[in-house]
Amino acid sequence: MSRFILALLLILVPSIGSAQDARISSLPMHAQPASARHGMVVAQEKIAAKIGADVLRHGGNAVDAAVATAFAMAVTYPRAGNIGGGGFMVIHLARENKDLALDYRETAPAAATPTMFLGPDGKPDAAKSRDGALGIGVPGTVAGLTDALQRYGSGNFTLRELLLPAIRLARDGFVITDDIADTLPDARKRFAPWPSSAALLARADGTPLREGDKLIQPDLANTLQAIADHGTDGFYDGPVAQKLASAIQAAGGIVTRDDLKAYRPVWREPVRGSYRGYDIVSMPLPSSGGTVLIETLNILEGFDLHKMGAQTPASLHVLIEAMKRAYADRARYLGDPAFSKAPLTRLLSKDYAAQLRADISPDKSTAVKAAAAQPHEGTNTTHFSVVDAQGNAVSNTYTLNFSYGVGLIAEGTGVLLNNELDDFTAAPGASNAYGLVGYEANLPGPGKRPLSSMTPTIVLKDGRPVLVTGSPGGSRIISTTLQVIVNTLDYRMNIAQAVSLPRLHHQWMPDEVRIEHGFPQATRDALRAMGHTLVTPMGQTSANSIAASKDGWLGAADPRTRGAEAAGY
């Protein structure tokens, strides 16, 4: 057994039940980041962040640490950490000065059809995609993490070694606290239809597990052990795959063993842009995140945001107007690139951004038509950022869609399953659970990957990472990532300030500004005077981010989530 594993089992695991910091009730502008000279992991759950940091400390690289963190969060952060869902990873390799994008998004099963989420009246039936097993997509996380490790891990750790902490946590259990304690009671109704879920996540009297209770997941431990022993075959073939398919079909879903066996992650070219002399590297389609992020930044580049001032009515106004235009293009054009072609060259061009910018009034909200009349994600998402001593970086966002996904734990596997197919458009012009409108490009289909808002992003200067960021939050992911970048690059805030500052969001439709508490009344009044409709709350986000400094890495765990942590060495 390696010294890394011994350190984890003897030091980390006994500390799991330690007292936690109180929930942060305000988001101070004077917040200071955590610092680390060699490497850092910032995640929404502290046990997993510490596991990833220990991998770095014992000779692993950023990819090794990301894999260990992700598998651990499948145990310790069940509402979003997952092996029953999927996601996206952006990687920067320092030695090769190379950037990579890994798509391990869930896919629609072979039996999926464009009309699968319509009711008998031909209209979208939200319950079909959100509350039942029909909304379950083929999970991609295990395949994605395993492939990333095989290709770009340091070689100092086997998959088995990186899985062992997660297996131990699932088998021996950990004390519930922080975000899990906050969210389990509200998630009870999602577990209620599924006896296998209700039995695991409730006390003997049927009430939800609470802070101080211990969560033990023996079936999940066995599934993770199967992956450790057999790699991807331990999940996508054999007994685990049979149990997954049987449970999904028994619940009314259409995922089969053949769907599981056929799943493959896809390596893609990242989407790239530039902003004020920095290089933006983000996730391409079927994530809309990178495209919408860069289009918005291109629009904003024509405004002197620094001179306007951070979070003044003038700077917030142009931020809102830029968001509107980019989100409108998202609705009209974007989908799985294997099934539809988007005009990306145009959407990402500086000239197109200038055209959109010219239509922005300096002091008045303007209505935006979809795609300017041109022709034809989630609360249960989590993001973590990783950097190592060599300058390698990983930005990873993965999801089950809703909090705790569809709520179904497949009998005998411990795997909590997604309802990710709700990210498809049920019918042209219909909206998903986050209000995002879509058209033909994002209709369901066999093997198709639903459009996502996940935006794992790495910002480079002269080929070196200066910012690693991203967030959960469904449609709010892109706007959150955008504001962390603007706060860092335009307003020159340290990363903790950039993450802590109150945020707002506009996604074109509905025509309203979702806004967090913390903006001065005078600012809100000024935005309303410009014609903006302000609505609270904005909804949960958690931009766990890392920035470079002359003394090493600075990490910021978003204070919006209880239990998030920046762990480094």
Side-chain angles (χ1 to χ4, degrees):
M1 183 178 289
S2 71
R3 286 185 298 168
F4 157 68
I5 299 299
L6 285 172
L8 285 173
L9 299 187
L10 297 178
I11 298 173
L12 178 61
V13 173
S15 71
I16 289 169
S18 59
Q20 309 298 321
D21 296 333
R23 176 188 293 277
I24 296 174
S25 57
S26 62
L27 307 176
M29 277 288 293
H30 60 272
Q32 294 300 312
S35 62
R37 181 166 294 277
H38 301 295
M40 178 167 283
V41 179
V42 186
Q44 218 164 334
E45 196 285 311
K46 63 178 57 178
I47 301 172
K50 291 177 181 177
I51 287 172
D54 273 4
V55 170
L56 297 175
R57 186 177 293 109
H58 287 83
N61 68 8
V63 174
D64 298 331
V67 170
T69 301
F71 275 119
M73 289 188 76
V75 181
T76 61
Y77 199 70
R79 79 180 182 96
N82 72 80
I83 58 172
F88 300 104
M89 181 184 291
V90 174
I91 303 171
H92 174 75
L93 300 177
R95 181 184 301 175
E96 300 90 338
N97 192 22
K98 184 176 182 180
D99 303 305
L100 306 155
L102 175 58
D103 170 4
Y104 60 97
R105 178 72 156 159
E106 303 91 334
T107 58
T113 69
T115 59
M116 64 188 292
F117 298 129
L118 301 182
D121 58 358
K123 296 180 180 180
D125 183 348
K128 284 189 172 184
S129 60
R130 301 173 191 177
D131 301 327
L134 191 62
I136 298 172
V138 182
T141 296
V142 172
L145 296 179
T146 303
D147 201 17
L149 179 66
Q150 290 173 344
R151 292 173 185 258
Y152 301 111
S154 67
N156 295 332
F157 294 91
T158 64
L159 178 64
R160 181 188 299 271
E161 288 177 318
L162 296 177
L163 273 162
L164 187 56
I167 294 169
R168 176 70 179 267
L169 286 163
R171 182 163 292 142
D172 295 349
F174 63 96
V175 176
I176 291 175
T177 186
D178 294 329
D179 187 79
I180 307 177
D182 296 337
T183 58
L184 269 177
D186 290 338
R188 184 179 181 183
K189 62 183 179 181
R190 295 209 68 75
F191 306 138
W194 321 112
S196 56
S197 305
L200 180 66
L201 298 171
R203 294 173 165 180
D205 62 1
T207 60
L209 292 173
R210 297 177 183 175
E211 190 147 6
D213 290 341
K214 200 169 189 180
L215 176 57
I216 300 173
Q217 303 170 80
D219 289 338
L220 181 57
N222 292 337
T223 295
L224 293 169
Q225 187 66 59
I227 298 167
D229 293 341
H230 305 292
T232 54
D233 285 348
F235 186 85
Y236 294 98
D237 201 2
V240 171
Q242 181 59 57
K243 291 175 183 177
L244 288 170
S246 296
I248 293 170
Q249 292 170 33
I254 55 175
V255 174
T256 67
R257 283 196 64 176
D258 286 342
D259 291 321
L260 290 162
K261 193 172 183 177
Y263 183 86
R264 298 291 185 276
V266 179
W267 290 92
R268 303 187 186 275
E269 281 295 317
V271 63
R272 297 176 179 275
S274 64
Y275 185 67
R276 307 202 195 281
Y278 293 85
D279 295 318
I280 311 297
V281 181
S282 194
M283 198 66 209
L285 294 171
S287 172
S288 67
T291 300
V292 177
L293 172 69
I294 292 170
E295 182 178 339
T296 312
L297 287 170
N298 285 343
I299 298 170
L300 291 173
E301 198 169 32
F303 297 99
D304 190 344
L305 295 182
H306 183 75
K307 185 176 180 179
M308 287 180 174
Q311 299 209 321
T312 61
S315 65
L316 292 173
H317 168 69
V318 298
L319 190 71
I320 293 165
E321 293 297 307
M323 288 180 194
K324 280 185 193 177
R325 287 152 176 81
Y327 272 92
D329 284 347
R330 178 198 191 277
R332 176 60 68 186
Y333 292 124
L334 303 186
D336 186 338
F339 294 84
S340 62
K341 185 173 179 60
L344 295 181
T345 300
R346 182 169 190 265
L347 296 180
L348 296 171
S349 74
K350 300 288 188 180
D351 287 344
Y352 179 56
Q355 294 175 33
L356 297 178
R357 188 186 312 122
D359 186 47
I360 295 176
S361 165
D363 56 8
K364 184 179 180 182
S365 173
T366 54
V368 176
K369 294 182 179 180
Q374 296 297 319
H376 179 68
E377 207 155 320
T379 55
N380 198 37
T381 303
T382 187
H383 175 84
F384 61 83
S385 299
V386 186
V387 293
D388 64 26
Q390 290 72 45
N392 302 305
V394 171
S395 181
N396 188 88
T397 314
Y398 65 168
T399 185
L400 293 172
N401 196 30
F402 280 20
S403 190
Y404 297 95
V406 76
L408 171 62
I409 294 175
E411 185 72 44
T413 70
V415 176
L416 186 59
L417 291 159
N418 67 85
N419 59 348
E420 202 60 61
L421 300 190
D422 181 62
D423 274 0
F424 282 121
T425 297
S431 60
N432 71 358
Y434 299 98
L436 285 170
V437 176
Y439 292 91
E440 288 84 352
N442 195 39
L443 288 171
K448 198 171 181 180
R449 297 172 189 235
L451 189 64
S452 171
S453 295
M454 289 181 274
T455 317
T457 300
I458 299 174
V459 179
L460 305 170
K461 182 69 172 178
D462 300 326
R464 297 180 179 180
V466 297
L467 176 64
V468 184
T469 189
S471 178
S475 59
R476 303 172 296 275
I477 292 173
I478 306 169
S479 57
T480 293
T481 306
L482 169 73
Q483 286 165 89
V484 173
I485 293 172
V486 167
N487 290 345
T488 304
L489 302 187
D490 284 295
Y491 305 128
R492 300 160 197 172
M493 298 177 185
N494 73 46
I495 190 60
Q497 293 169 336
V499 167
S500 297
L501 204 67
R503 298 193 274 260
L504 50 70
H505 168 77
H506 200 301
Q507 62 185 47
W508 172 56
M509 292 293 288
D511 187 4
E512 63 187 24
V513 181
R514 288 278 171 177
I515 189 167
E516 287 186 327
H517 295 291
F519 289 95
Q521 184 64 48
T523 299
R524 300 197 299 271
D525 290 344
L527 290 174
R528 290 190 180 99
M530 293 179 186
H532 296 294
T533 300
L534 307 186
V535 178
T536 57
M538 183 181 124
Q540 185 180 8
T541 54
S542 187
N544 301 295
S545 305
I546 302 172
S549 76
K550 60 183 177 61
D551 297 319
W553 301 109
L554 302 178
D558 199 314
R560 292 163 178 80
T561 299
R562 193 161 71 105
E565 178 150 322
Y569 82 106

